[in-house]
Amino acid sequence: MSRPGPKSTSENRRVRALLSSLYALCCVLPLSSWAGRPVRVYEVDVDGQSGAAVQDAMRQALVRATGRRESADDPALAGVLAEATRYVKSYAVGPRGQSQVVFDGAAVEQAITAAGRSTWDRERPFTIVVLSPPRNRAAEDAARAELERAAAERGLPISLLPLAVVDGDGNLLTAAALLQSAQRYGGDEILVGRGDGAAPDSELQWTLYTRSASESWNGPLAAGIDHTVDLLAPQQGTSLAQAEVETRVRIEGVKGLVDYAAIERLLQSVAGVRRANIAAAEANSVAFDVTVRGGAAGLDQALSGSTRLVRTSAPGAPAVYRYQPQG
C-alpha cells in the first residue's frame, strides 16, 4: 500500500484546520435564532370531563399534533377520537385558571402514525407577526386576540410585534433585514401582513419570510396563521417514513466561513431537520450529515421551494445543492 504524498498530507491538514475553524465559529454564534419553541400540544382547554367534552378536546389536539385542520374529522383518525378518554393522563388548571385535559402525547402520536398520518415536531418555528401599517391600540388588541386564537388552534408559537418593515424612504426592507429584525426577538421567521383594514375579516397581503424561502398570499387575519402552518406542517398521506434518518448532502457555491455558518443555520431551520453537522469541507463546497425526518427524500421535499438551496443533482443521485446567498 502506498503512502500518501506530501500534497495529500497538506490537504488533510488544511481541511482539518478549516473544520476546526468552522466548529469554533459555529460554537460562538448564537443558536437561539433557529432553536424553535416547544408547543404544549396535548394540554387542551376542556368544558368538563364528559366523553363528549374530551372528544372535542381530542379534535383540537389532533389538529395541533398534525398541524392539519382536516385532522379533526379525518376518517383515518376516527378510532383515536372515539377512544379519546383512553388517552387522558390527567386533568389540570391552565395558566388563566381554565380547566384542561392532558393527553398522553406519546400514545397519541403513536396512534396517529399507525393510522398513516404525519405528526409535526413539537418544537416549532417561533413566528414574529407584523402588521403594516401599525394599528391603533384597540385595533391592535383585537388583531392580537384573533391571531393568538388561530395560532393556538393550529399549534404555532407567535408574537405580534410593532417592527418596522420599510426604511426611511418607505421602501420595503429586504428579507435578510426582516429576518435579522425578527431574530433580535428570538424569532425563527417573520410573517408580515400589509393592508389598511382594521376588522378581523379585512383582506391583507401576507408574506412569510424564512431562511430558505418566502411566500405570499391574501386573506384575513386568521388566514395569515392558517397558511403559514399549511406551509410548515408535514403533508398528510405522504409516503415518507416518519423516522429520522441521517443523510449526507453536499452544498456547492460556498465561498468562506460566513457561508459555511449560514448554511448550517439554514439547514437547521428546515422543517423536519433535527441536526446538521459539518462532515467534510473542500475549496468551494461542504458536506453535511443531516438528521431529518424521512431522510434524503424528506429533505428534498422540505427544500423544494427554497431559493437559497437549489438542488443540482438528478433524482436518485446523491444529494447536491447550490447555495445562493441572496435567494
Side-chain angles (χ1 to χ4, degrees), residues 175-245:
L178 290 169
L179 283 167
Q180 186 176 31
S181 180
Q183 289 166 15
R184 285 198 291 270
Y185 295 89
D188 297 294
E189 58 192 21
I190 185 167
L191 174 65
V192 179
R194 302 180 184 87
D196 295 329
D201 58 350
S202 296
E203 192 86 352
L204 299 174
Q205 181 184 32
W206 294 99
T207 304
L208 176 68
Y209 299 92
T210 71
R211 289 176 184 81
S212 59
S214 62
E215 181 160 334
S216 298
W217 65 95
N218 294 326
L221 287 170
I225 300 298
D226 283 334
H227 194 65
T228 295
V229 177
D230 289 344
L231 293 171
L232 297 175
Q235 296 293 325
Q236 298 302 318
T238 176
S239 61
L240 296 179
Q242 287 295 293
E244 292 180 341
V245 179

Short mmCIF file of all heavy atoms in Angstrom, two decimals, residues 175-245:
data_model
loop_
_atom_site.label_atom_id
_atom_site.label_comp_id
_atom_site.label_asym_id
_atom_site.label_seq_id
_atom_site.Cartn_x
_atom_site.Cartn_y
_atom_site.Cartn_z
N ALA A 175 -35.59 40.73 2.70
CA ALA A 175 -35.90 39.57 3.52
C ALA A 175 -34.84 39.35 4.59
O ALA A 175 -35.16 39.03 5.74
CB ALA A 175 -36.01 38.33 2.63
N ALA A 176 -33.57 39.56 4.22
CA ALA A 176 -32.49 39.38 5.20
C ALA A 176 -32.62 40.35 6.36
O ALA A 176 -32.42 40.00 7.52
CB ALA A 176 -31.14 39.54 4.51
N ALA A 177 -32.97 41.62 6.04
CA ALA A 177 -33.12 42.63 7.10
C ALA A 177 -34.32 42.32 7.99
O ALA A 177 -34.25 42.48 9.22
CB ALA A 177 -33.27 44.01 6.47
N LEU A 178 -35.41 41.85 7.40
CA LEU A 178 -36.59 41.50 8.19
C LEU A 178 -36.30 40.31 9.12
O LEU A 178 -36.69 40.31 10.29
CB LEU A 178 -37.75 41.16 7.26
CG LEU A 178 -38.36 42.35 6.49
CD1 LEU A 178 -39.31 41.85 5.41
CD2 LEU A 178 -39.09 43.29 7.44
N LEU A 179 -35.61 39.31 8.59
CA LEU A 179 -35.26 38.15 9.41
C LEU A 179 -34.32 38.53 10.54
O LEU A 179 -34.44 38.04 11.67
CB LEU A 179 -34.63 37.06 8.54
CG LEU A 179 -35.62 36.25 7.69
CD1 LEU A 179 -34.87 35.43 6.65
CD2 LEU A 179 -36.47 35.35 8.56
N GLN A 180 -33.38 39.42 10.25
CA GLN A 180 -32.45 39.86 11.29
C GLN A 180 -33.20 40.60 12.38
O GLN A 180 -32.91 40.43 13.58
CB GLN A 180 -31.38 40.77 10.68
CG GLN A 180 -30.28 41.17 11.64
CD GLN A 180 -29.20 41.98 10.96
OE1 GLN A 180 -29.46 42.72 10.02
NE2 GLN A 180 -27.97 41.85 11.43
N SER A 181 -34.19 41.39 12.00
CA SER A 181 -35.01 42.10 12.98
C SER A 181 -35.78 41.11 13.85
O SER A 181 -35.87 41.26 15.07
CB SER A 181 -35.97 43.04 12.26
OG SER A 181 -36.78 43.74 13.18
N ALA A 182 -36.35 40.07 13.22
CA ALA A 182 -37.10 39.06 13.97
C ALA A 182 -36.20 38.29 14.91
O ALA A 182 -36.58 37.96 16.04
CB ALA A 182 -37.79 38.11 13.00
N GLN A 183 -34.98 38.01 14.48
CA GLN A 183 -34.04 37.23 15.30
C GLN A 183 -33.66 37.97 16.58
O GLN A 183 -33.35 37.32 17.59
CB GLN A 183 -32.80 36.90 14.48
CG GLN A 183 -33.06 35.86 13.40
CD GLN A 183 -31.95 35.77 12.37
OE1 GLN A 183 -30.85 36.27 12.59
NE2 GLN A 183 -32.24 35.12 11.26
N ARG A 184 -33.70 39.29 16.55
CA ARG A 184 -33.37 40.04 17.76
C ARG A 184 -34.39 39.77 18.87
O ARG A 184 -34.09 39.98 20.05
CB ARG A 184 -33.32 41.54 17.45
CG ARG A 184 -32.07 41.97 16.69
CD ARG A 184 -31.85 43.46 16.78
NE ARG A 184 -32.84 44.21 16.05
CZ ARG A 184 -32.73 44.56 14.77
NH1 ARG A 184 -31.65 44.21 14.08
NH2 ARG A 184 -33.68 45.25 14.17
N TYR A 185 -35.56 39.30 18.48
CA TYR A 185 -36.60 38.97 19.47
C TYR A 185 -36.78 37.46 19.60
O TYR A 185 -37.80 37.00 20.11
CB TYR A 185 -37.91 39.64 19.07
CG TYR A 185 -37.85 41.15 19.12
CD1 TYR A 185 -37.44 41.89 18.01
CD2 TYR A 185 -38.17 41.85 20.29
CE1 TYR A 185 -37.35 43.27 18.05
CE2 TYR A 185 -38.09 43.23 20.34
CZ TYR A 185 -37.67 43.94 19.22
OH TYR A 185 -37.59 45.31 19.27
N GLY A 186 -35.80 36.70 19.14
CA GLY A 186 -35.85 35.25 19.25
C GLY A 186 -36.66 34.57 18.18
O GLY A 186 -36.94 33.38 18.28
N GLY A 187 -37.07 35.30 17.13
CA GLY A 187 -37.90 34.73 16.08
C GLY A 187 -37.12 33.86 15.12
O GLY A 187 -35.97 34.16 14.79
N ASP A 188 -37.76 32.78 14.65
CA ASP A 188 -37.17 31.93 13.63
C ASP A 188 -37.57 32.38 12.23
O ASP A 188 -36.88 32.06 11.25
CB ASP A 188 -37.64 30.48 13.83
CG ASP A 188 -37.18 29.92 15.15
OD1 ASP A 188 -35.97 29.75 15.34
OD2 ASP A 188 -38.04 29.65 16.01
N GLU A 189 -38.68 33.09 12.13
CA GLU A 189 -39.19 33.57 10.85
C GLU A 189 -40.09 34.77 11.12
O GLU A 189 -40.43 35.06 12.28
CB GLU A 189 -39.96 32.46 10.13
CG GLU A 189 -41.13 31.91 10.95
CD GLU A 189 -41.71 30.63 10.39
OE1 GLU A 189 -41.00 29.96 9.62
OE2 GLU A 189 -42.87 30.32 10.71
N ILE A 190 -40.46 35.46 10.06
CA ILE A 190 -41.30 36.65 10.24
C ILE A 190 -42.45 36.61 9.24
O ILE A 190 -42.26 36.31 8.05
CB ILE A 190 -40.48 37.95 10.11
CG1 ILE A 190 -41.34 39.17 10.42
CG2 ILE A 190 -39.80 38.06 8.76
CD1 ILE A 190 -40.53 40.45 10.60
N LEU A 191 -43.66 36.90 9.72
CA LEU A 191 -44.87 36.93 8.91
C LEU A 191 -45.39 38.36 8.89
O LEU A 191 -45.72 38.92 9.94
CB LEU A 191 -45.92 35.99 9.50
CG LEU A 191 -47.31 35.99 8.87
CD1 LEU A 191 -47.25 35.49 7.43
CD2 LEU A 191 -48.28 35.14 9.69
N VAL A 192 -45.45 38.96 7.70
CA VAL A 192 -45.85 40.36 7.56
C VAL A 192 -47.19 40.44 6.85
O VAL A 192 -47.38 39.86 5.77
CB VAL A 192 -44.79 41.15 6.77
CG1 VAL A 192 -45.23 42.61 6.62
CG2 VAL A 192 -43.43 41.08 7.46
N GLY A 193 -48.14 41.14 7.48
CA GLY A 193 -49.46 41.37 6.88
C GLY A 193 -49.61 42.84 6.54
O GLY A 193 -49.55 43.69 7.42
N ARG A 194 -49.83 43.14 5.27
CA ARG A 194 -49.92 44.54 4.82
C ARG A 194 -51.35 44.82 4.39
O ARG A 194 -51.96 44.07 3.65
CB ARG A 194 -48.97 44.80 3.67
CG ARG A 194 -47.51 44.51 4.00
CD ARG A 194 -46.60 44.79 2.80
NE ARG A 194 -45.24 44.41 3.08
CZ ARG A 194 -44.73 43.19 2.91
NH1 ARG A 194 -45.52 42.23 2.44
NH2 ARG A 194 -43.48 42.94 3.19
N GLY A 195 -51.88 45.95 4.84
CA GLY A 195 -53.22 46.35 4.47
C GLY A 195 -53.76 47.34 5.49
O GLY A 195 -53.32 47.39 6.63
N ASP A 196 -54.74 48.16 5.08
CA ASP A 196 -55.27 49.21 5.94
C ASP A 196 -56.48 48.78 6.75
O ASP A 196 -56.90 49.50 7.66
CB ASP A 196 -55.67 50.44 5.09
CG ASP A 196 -54.45 51.07 4.43
OD1 ASP A 196 -53.36 51.00 5.04
OD2 ASP A 196 -54.60 51.61 3.33
N GLY A 197 -57.06 47.62 6.45
CA GLY A 197 -58.27 47.21 7.14
C GLY A 197 -58.02 46.90 8.60
O GLY A 197 -57.04 46.25 8.96
N ALA A 198 -58.92 47.35 9.48
CA ALA A 198 -58.78 47.11 10.91
C ALA A 198 -59.69 45.98 11.40
O ALA A 198 -59.51 45.48 12.50
CB ALA A 198 -59.09 48.39 11.70
N ALA A 199 -60.67 45.57 10.60
CA ALA A 199 -61.58 44.49 11.02
C ALA A 199 -60.89 43.13 10.85
O ALA A 199 -60.05 42.97 9.97
CB ALA A 199 -62.85 44.54 10.19
N PRO A 200 -61.24 42.15 11.69
CA PRO A 200 -60.59 40.84 11.61
C PRO A 200 -60.72 40.16 10.25
O PRO A 200 -59.86 39.38 9.87
CB PRO A 200 -61.30 40.03 12.70
CG PRO A 200 -61.82 41.04 13.66
CD PRO A 200 -62.18 42.23 12.82
N ASP A 201 -61.83 40.45 9.52
CA ASP A 201 -62.04 39.79 8.24
C ASP A 201 -61.56 40.63 7.06
O ASP A 201 -61.83 40.30 5.90
CB ASP A 201 -63.51 39.42 8.06
CG ASP A 201 -64.43 40.64 8.14
OD1 ASP A 201 -63.94 41.74 8.53
OD2 ASP A 201 -65.63 40.50 7.84
N SER A 202 -60.82 41.70 7.33
CA SER A 202 -60.30 42.54 6.25
C SER A 202 -59.20 41.79 5.49
O SER A 202 -58.42 41.05 6.08
CB SER A 202 -59.73 43.85 6.80
OG SER A 202 -60.74 44.63 7.39
N GLU A 203 -59.14 42.00 4.20
CA GLU A 203 -58.16 41.34 3.35
C GLU A 203 -56.78 41.97 3.55
O GLU A 203 -56.63 43.19 3.49
CB GLU A 203 -58.58 41.44 1.88
CG GLU A 203 -57.81 40.55 0.95
CD GLU A 203 -58.39 39.15 0.85
OE1 GLU A 203 -59.31 38.83 1.61
OE2 GLU A 203 -57.92 38.38 -0.01
N LEU A 204 -55.78 41.13 3.77
CA LEU A 204 -54.40 41.58 3.92
C LEU A 204 -53.53 40.82 2.93
O LEU A 204 -53.85 39.70 2.51
CB LEU A 204 -53.89 41.33 5.34
CG LEU A 204 -54.62 42.02 6.49
CD1 LEU A 204 -54.07 41.54 7.83
CD2 LEU A 204 -54.47 43.54 6.38
N GLN A 205 -52.41 41.44 2.58
CA GLN A 205 -51.40 40.73 1.79
C GLN A 205 -50.35 40.19 2.75
O GLN A 205 -49.69 40.96 3.44
CB GLN A 205 -50.74 41.64 0.76
CG GLN A 205 -49.71 40.90 -0.09
CD GLN A 205 -48.97 41.80 -1.05
OE1 GLN A 205 -48.75 42.97 -0.74
NE2 GLN A 205 -48.58 41.29 -2.20
N TRP A 206 -50.23 38.88 2.81
CA TRP A 206 -49.32 38.23 3.74
C TRP A 206 -48.05 37.76 3.03
O TRP A 206 -48.11 37.28 1.89
CB TRP A 206 -49.98 37.01 4.39
CG TRP A 206 -51.14 37.35 5.27
CD1 TRP A 206 -52.46 37.29 4.97
CD2 TRP A 206 -51.06 37.79 6.63
NE1 TRP A 206 -53.23 37.67 6.04
CE2 TRP A 206 -52.39 37.99 7.08
CE3 TRP A 206 -50.02 38.05 7.52
CZ2 TRP A 206 -52.69 38.41 8.37
CZ3 TRP A 206 -50.31 38.48 8.80
CH2 TRP A 206 -51.62 38.66 9.22
N THR A 207 -46.93 37.87 3.71
CA THR A 207 -45.68 37.28 3.22
C THR A 207 -44.95 36.64 4.39
O THR A 207 -44.73 37.30 5.42
CB THR A 207 -44.77 38.32 2.56
OG1 THR A 207 -45.47 38.99 1.51
CG2 THR A 207 -43.53 37.64 1.97
N LEU A 208 -44.62 35.37 4.24
CA LEU A 208 -43.83 34.65 5.23
C LEU A 208 -42.39 34.60 4.75
O LEU A 208 -42.11 34.15 3.64
CB LEU A 208 -44.37 33.23 5.42
CG LEU A 208 -43.57 32.35 6.38
CD1 LEU A 208 -43.69 32.85 7.81
CD2 LEU A 208 -44.01 30.89 6.28
N TYR A 209 -41.49 35.10 5.60
CA TYR A 209 -40.06 35.08 5.29
C TYR A 209 -39.36 34.06 6.20
O TYR A 209 -39.43 34.16 7.43
CB TYR A 209 -39.43 36.46 5.53
CG TYR A 209 -40.02 37.56 4.67
CD1 TYR A 209 -41.08 38.34 5.14
CD2 TYR A 209 -39.51 37.84 3.41
CE1 TYR A 209 -41.62 39.35 4.36
CE2 TYR A 209 -40.05 38.87 2.63
CZ TYR A 209 -41.10 39.61 3.11
OH TYR A 209 -41.64 40.63 2.35
N THR A 210 -38.72 33.06 5.58
CA THR A 210 -37.90 32.11 6.32
C THR A 210 -36.49 32.17 5.75
O THR A 210 -36.24 32.86 4.76
CB THR A 210 -38.45 30.68 6.18
OG1 THR A 210 -38.21 30.20 4.85
CG2 THR A 210 -39.94 30.62 6.47
N ARG A 211 -35.58 31.42 6.35
CA ARG A 211 -34.21 31.44 5.87
C ARG A 211 -34.07 30.78 4.50
O ARG A 211 -33.15 31.06 3.75
CB ARG A 211 -33.29 30.73 6.86
CG ARG A 211 -33.07 31.50 8.13
CD ARG A 211 -32.22 30.70 9.11
NE ARG A 211 -32.09 31.41 10.37
CZ ARG A 211 -32.99 31.41 11.33
NH1 ARG A 211 -34.11 30.73 11.14
NH2 ARG A 211 -32.81 32.08 12.44
N SER A 212 -34.99 29.89 4.17
CA SER A 212 -34.85 29.16 2.91
C SER A 212 -35.70 29.73 1.77
O SER A 212 -35.37 29.54 0.61
CB SER A 212 -35.23 27.68 3.12
OG SER A 212 -36.55 27.55 3.58
N ALA A 213 -36.79 30.42 2.09
CA ALA A 213 -37.68 30.90 1.04
C ALA A 213 -38.65 31.92 1.60
O ALA A 213 -38.69 32.20 2.79
CB ALA A 213 -38.45 29.72 0.42
N SER A 214 -39.46 32.49 0.70
CA SER A 214 -40.55 33.37 1.12
C SER A 214 -41.75 33.08 0.23
O SER A 214 -41.60 32.62 -0.90
CB SER A 214 -40.15 34.85 1.01
OG SER A 214 -39.85 35.19 -0.33
N GLU A 215 -42.95 33.32 0.77
CA GLU A 215 -44.17 33.06 0.01
C GLU A 215 -45.22 34.09 0.40
O GLU A 215 -45.31 34.48 1.58
CB GLU A 215 -44.68 31.65 0.24
CG GLU A 215 -45.94 31.33 -0.57
CD GLU A 215 -46.18 29.85 -0.74
OE1 GLU A 215 -45.21 29.07 -0.69
OE2 GLU A 215 -47.36 29.47 -0.93
N SER A 216 -46.06 34.49 -0.56
CA SER A 216 -47.09 35.50 -0.32
C SER A 216 -48.46 34.96 -0.68
O SER A 216 -48.60 34.09 -1.55
CB SER A 216 -46.80 36.76 -1.15
OG SER A 216 -45.56 37.35 -0.78
N TRP A 217 -49.49 35.49 -0.02
CA TRP A 217 -50.88 35.15 -0.28
C TRP A 217 -51.76 36.24 0.30
O TRP A 217 -51.28 37.14 1.02
CB TRP A 217 -51.24 33.79 0.32
CG TRP A 217 -51.19 33.73 1.82
CD1 TRP A 217 -52.21 33.90 2.71
CD2 TRP A 217 -50.01 33.50 2.63
NE1 TRP A 217 -51.77 33.78 4.00
CE2 TRP A 217 -50.42 33.54 3.98
CE3 TRP A 217 -48.66 33.27 2.34
CZ2 TRP A 217 -49.53 33.36 5.04
CZ3 TRP A 217 -47.78 33.08 3.39
CH2 TRP A 217 -48.22 33.12 4.72
N ASN A 218 -53.05 36.19 0.02
CA ASN A 218 -54.01 37.18 0.52
C ASN A 218 -55.05 36.51 1.41
O ASN A 218 -55.42 35.35 1.19
CB ASN A 218 -54.72 37.89 -0.63
CG ASN A 218 -53.78 38.74 -1.46
OD1 ASN A 218 -52.83 39.32 -0.93
ND2 ASN A 218 -54.02 38.81 -2.75
N GLY A 219 -55.53 37.26 2.41
CA GLY A 219 -56.56 36.73 3.28
C GLY A 219 -56.67 37.53 4.56
O GLY A 219 -55.84 38.41 4.83
N PRO A 220 -57.68 37.26 5.39
CA PRO A 220 -57.87 37.97 6.65
C PRO A 220 -56.84 37.52 7.68
O PRO A 220 -55.92 36.74 7.39
CB PRO A 220 -59.29 37.59 7.06
CG PRO A 220 -59.52 36.26 6.41
CD PRO A 220 -58.76 36.30 5.12
N LEU A 221 -57.01 37.98 8.92
CA LEU A 221 -56.03 37.70 9.97
C LEU A 221 -55.80 36.20 10.15
O LEU A 221 -54.66 35.73 10.17
CB LEU A 221 -56.48 38.33 11.29
CG LEU A 221 -56.36 39.85 11.38
CD1 LEU A 221 -57.07 40.35 12.63
CD2 LEU A 221 -54.88 40.28 11.41
N ALA A 222 -56.88 35.44 10.30
CA ALA A 222 -56.73 34.00 10.55
C ALA A 222 -56.03 33.31 9.39
O ALA A 222 -55.28 32.34 9.60
CB ALA A 222 -58.09 33.37 10.80
N ALA A 223 -56.22 33.80 8.18
CA ALA A 223 -55.59 33.18 7.01
C ALA A 223 -54.08 33.34 7.05
O ALA A 223 -53.36 32.52 6.48
CB ALA A 223 -56.15 33.78 5.73
N GLY A 224 -53.60 34.39 7.71
CA GLY A 224 -52.16 34.55 7.86
C GLY A 224 -51.56 33.39 8.63
O GLY A 224 -50.54 32.81 8.24
N ILE A 225 -52.21 33.01 9.72
CA ILE A 225 -51.75 31.90 10.53
C ILE A 225 -51.99 30.58 9.82
O ILE A 225 -51.11 29.71 9.75
CB ILE A 225 -52.45 31.89 11.90
CG1 ILE A 225 -52.17 33.20 12.65
CG2 ILE A 225 -52.02 30.69 12.71
CD1 ILE A 225 -50.72 33.46 12.96
N ASP A 226 -53.19 30.40 9.28
CA ASP A 226 -53.55 29.12 8.68
C ASP A 226 -52.62 28.73 7.54
O ASP A 226 -52.14 27.59 7.46
CB ASP A 226 -55.00 29.15 8.17
CG ASP A 226 -56.01 29.03 9.30
OD1 ASP A 226 -55.66 28.45 10.35
OD2 ASP A 226 -57.14 29.53 9.14
N HIS A 227 -52.33 29.68 6.65
CA HIS A 227 -51.49 29.33 5.51
C HIS A 227 -50.04 29.13 5.95
O HIS A 227 -49.33 28.30 5.37
CB HIS A 227 -51.58 30.39 4.41
CG HIS A 227 -51.01 29.93 3.10
ND1 HIS A 227 -51.58 28.91 2.37
CD2 HIS A 227 -49.91 30.33 2.41
CE1 HIS A 227 -50.86 28.72 1.27
NE2 HIS A 227 -49.84 29.56 1.27
N THR A 228 -49.61 29.87 6.95
CA THR A 228 -48.25 29.66 7.48
C THR A 228 -48.09 28.24 7.97
O THR A 228 -47.10 27.55 7.66
CB THR A 228 -47.96 30.65 8.62
OG1 THR A 228 -47.95 31.99 8.11
CG2 THR A 228 -46.61 30.37 9.27
N VAL A 229 -49.06 27.75 8.76
CA VAL A 229 -48.98 26.38 9.27
C VAL A 229 -49.09 25.38 8.12
O VAL A 229 -48.41 24.35 8.12
CB VAL A 229 -50.06 26.13 10.32
CG1 VAL A 229 -50.04 24.68 10.79
CG2 VAL A 229 -49.85 27.05 11.52
N ASP A 230 -49.93 25.67 7.13
CA ASP A 230 -50.04 24.77 5.98
C ASP A 230 -48.69 24.60 5.28
O ASP A 230 -48.38 23.52 4.77
CB ASP A 230 -51.07 25.31 4.97
CG ASP A 230 -52.50 25.21 5.48
OD1 ASP A 230 -52.74 24.46 6.45
OD2 ASP A 230 -53.37 25.90 4.91
N LEU A 231 -47.88 25.65 5.28
CA LEU A 231 -46.57 25.59 4.65
C LEU A 231 -45.56 24.84 5.51
O LEU A 231 -44.67 24.15 4.99
CB LEU A 231 -46.04 27.01 4.38
CG LEU A 231 -46.79 27.83 3.35
CD1 LEU A 231 -46.29 29.27 3.36
CD2 LEU A 231 -46.62 27.22 1.95
N LEU A 232 -45.71 24.95 6.84
CA LEU A 232 -44.70 24.39 7.74
C LEU A 232 -44.97 22.94 8.11
O LEU A 232 -44.02 22.15 8.26
CB LEU A 232 -44.66 25.23 9.03
CG LEU A 232 -44.22 26.69 8.90
CD1 LEU A 232 -44.37 27.39 10.24
CD2 LEU A 232 -42.79 26.79 8.39
N ALA A 233 -46.22 22.58 8.31
CA ALA A 233 -46.55 21.24 8.81
C ALA A 233 -46.37 20.20 7.71
O ALA A 233 -46.56 20.49 6.53
CB ALA A 233 -47.99 21.22 9.33
N PRO A 234 -46.02 18.96 8.09
CA PRO A 234 -45.84 17.90 7.08
C PRO A 234 -47.15 17.55 6.41
O PRO A 234 -48.21 17.61 7.02
CB PRO A 234 -45.30 16.72 7.90
CG PRO A 234 -45.75 16.99 9.30
CD PRO A 234 -45.75 18.47 9.45
N GLN A 235 -47.07 17.21 5.14
CA GLN A 235 -48.26 16.81 4.41
C GLN A 235 -48.76 15.47 4.91
O GLN A 235 -47.98 14.60 5.29
CB GLN A 235 -47.95 16.71 2.91
CG GLN A 235 -47.57 18.03 2.27
CD GLN A 235 -48.73 19.00 2.23
OE1 GLN A 235 -49.88 18.60 2.05
NE2 GLN A 235 -48.45 20.29 2.38
N GLN A 236 -50.08 15.27 4.89
CA GLN A 236 -50.65 14.00 5.32
C GLN A 236 -50.67 13.02 4.16
O GLN A 236 -50.72 13.41 2.99
CB GLN A 236 -52.07 14.21 5.85
CG GLN A 236 -52.13 15.10 7.07
CD GLN A 236 -51.31 14.58 8.23
OE1 GLN A 236 -51.31 13.39 8.51
NE2 GLN A 236 -50.59 15.45 8.90
N GLY A 237 -50.64 11.74 4.51
CA GLY A 237 -50.70 10.72 3.48
C GLY A 237 -49.43 10.60 2.68
O GLY A 237 -49.39 9.94 1.65
N THR A 238 -48.33 11.23 3.14
CA THR A 238 -47.08 11.14 2.41
C THR A 238 -46.50 9.74 2.57
O THR A 238 -46.72 9.07 3.57
CB THR A 238 -46.07 12.18 2.93
OG1 THR A 238 -44.83 11.99 2.24
CG2 THR A 238 -45.82 12.03 4.41
N SER A 239 -45.72 9.33 1.61
CA SER A 239 -45.09 8.01 1.69
C SER A 239 -43.78 8.06 2.44
O SER A 239 -43.13 7.05 2.64
CB SER A 239 -44.86 7.46 0.27
OG SER A 239 -43.98 8.32 -0.45
N LEU A 240 -43.34 9.27 2.83
CA LEU A 240 -42.07 9.39 3.53
C LEU A 240 -42.18 8.76 4.91
O LEU A 240 -43.16 8.92 5.62
CB LEU A 240 -41.70 10.88 3.67
CG LEU A 240 -41.45 11.64 2.38
CD1 LEU A 240 -41.11 13.08 2.70
CD2 LEU A 240 -40.34 11.00 1.57
N ALA A 241 -41.14 8.07 5.29
CA ALA A 241 -41.11 7.46 6.62
C ALA A 241 -41.03 8.55 7.67
O ALA A 241 -40.43 9.60 7.48
CB ALA A 241 -39.89 6.55 6.73
N GLN A 242 -41.69 8.30 8.81
CA GLN A 242 -41.67 9.28 9.88
C GLN A 242 -40.37 9.24 10.66
O GLN A 242 -40.05 10.18 11.37
CB GLN A 242 -42.84 9.01 10.83
CG GLN A 242 -44.18 9.41 10.24
CD GLN A 242 -44.26 10.90 10.02
OE1 GLN A 242 -44.27 11.68 10.96
NE2 GLN A 242 -44.31 11.32 8.77
N ALA A 243 -39.61 8.15 10.56
CA ALA A 243 -38.37 8.04 11.32
C ALA A 243 -37.35 9.07 10.86
O ALA A 243 -37.28 9.43 9.68
CB ALA A 243 -37.80 6.64 11.17
N GLU A 244 -36.56 9.58 11.81
CA GLU A 244 -35.48 10.49 11.48
C GLU A 244 -34.28 9.67 10.98
O GLU A 244 -33.88 8.69 11.60
CB GLU A 244 -35.08 11.32 12.70
CG GLU A 244 -36.16 12.30 13.13
CD GLU A 244 -35.74 13.11 14.34
OE1 GLU A 244 -34.80 12.67 15.04
OE2 GLU A 244 -36.35 14.16 14.58
N VAL A 245 -33.72 10.07 9.86
CA VAL A 245 -32.62 9.33 9.22
C VAL A 245 -31.50 10.32 8.93
O VAL A 245 -31.74 11.45 8.49
CB VAL A 245 -33.09 8.66 7.91
CG1 VAL A 245 -31.93 7.92 7.24
CG2 VAL A 245 -34.24 7.70 8.19
#
